[in-house]
Amino acid sequence: MAGSARASEQQVTRLEAGGPNSIAVANGIIGDEWTLWIVRMGLNGITQYNEWLNAGPISSSVLNSRLNRLVETDIMQRVEYTSRPVRHDYVLTARGRSMWPVLLTMWDWERVWVHSPDAHLPLMQHTLCEQVFSPVLRCEACDEQVAARDLTATEGPSGGWDRSIPAAATRRRSHSGHRPDAVIDQTMAMIGNRWSVALLGSVFLGATRFGQFEQQMGAPPTIVAERLRTFCDIGVLDKTPSAQRSDWTDYRLTEKGRAFFPVVASVLEWGQRWFRAPEGPALRIVHRQCRRTFHPRLTCSVCQAGLRGHSVRTIPDPDDAAVRATIA
């Protein structure tokens, strides 16, 4: 994986006043499994069109559409390397390279909590200590390990549910029905749909009852019910009778659901770093312990050193049946 980068003023995208904020824009980009796969391959050094076609079951039409979108959003840069015929490399920009924490936290959550036989997720090795590790979420200001319960989130000047939900469903697949070879299926169930993103935001901001979700999301009751059912089915939410009224139901995060927070924090950080509304941030997050603005920092679970994109190596999982078959 390549290294991360801080956003300079020249690299930041200025959003329209009153329009979609950084949360909506970031989730609109990240909530697509082929986009994440292409970026992952780019972080591993792929730059040419045919290399992506040979690396996985992606069709030309899907690859074309995703590469064009990645160039439009300044995640990739099209660089001509021959003029006769005209051919281009697709190179990750600083914005694209800084997506590594999002991918890292997604892979870790899926590996620990999902155990899907269809997902061939790599192991993560820290090159400094040469050990297989899991990323640990810490506060950049005080270096303490944090969870969602340690933070306070308030709506920023460009916040609001109407501005924070992606404009359309973002989970798209090729017409052939092929999927990336490293499927992150349950992650996509949580962030690959505009209403899933809205529900996820409501849950982490403290909503527990159907009426609260319906009001905050601005979605029809049938959609709210379907999303809640999906989250319960995959074990992210637990449905229990309310202590306040016997005819009410509470929906609360399970341990598996709470463990998804590093993904949420990484997506929010990436979005607010690179996409800025003129009114100000969409969300303000403060770490209760140090009372400073929260910015996530990932460290190695083995040696506790801070992680960088260039210090993370992906290696095949020897327990993966597909890997064993290849070796055999």
Side-chain angles (χ1 to χ4, degrees), residues 22-32 164 166 170 191-192 197 267-268 270:
S22 62
I23 298 173
V25 174
N27 279 293
I29 295 169
I30 288 171
D32 174 64
S164 301
T170 53
I191 67 171
V197 171
V267 173
L268 288 173
W270 183 79

Side-chain angles (χ1 to χ4, degrees), residues 9 12-26 156-160 163-164 270-284:
E9 291 301 313
V12 167
T13 295
R14 303 294 174 181
L15 303 176
E16 293 184 10
N21 60 27
S22 62
I23 298 173
V25 174
S158 65
R163 299 183 62 179
S164 301
W270 183 79
Q272 297 203 128
R273 176 184 296 182
W274 297 102
F275 302 95
R276 296 181 189 170
E279 304 93 332
L283 199 64
R284 299 187 190 279

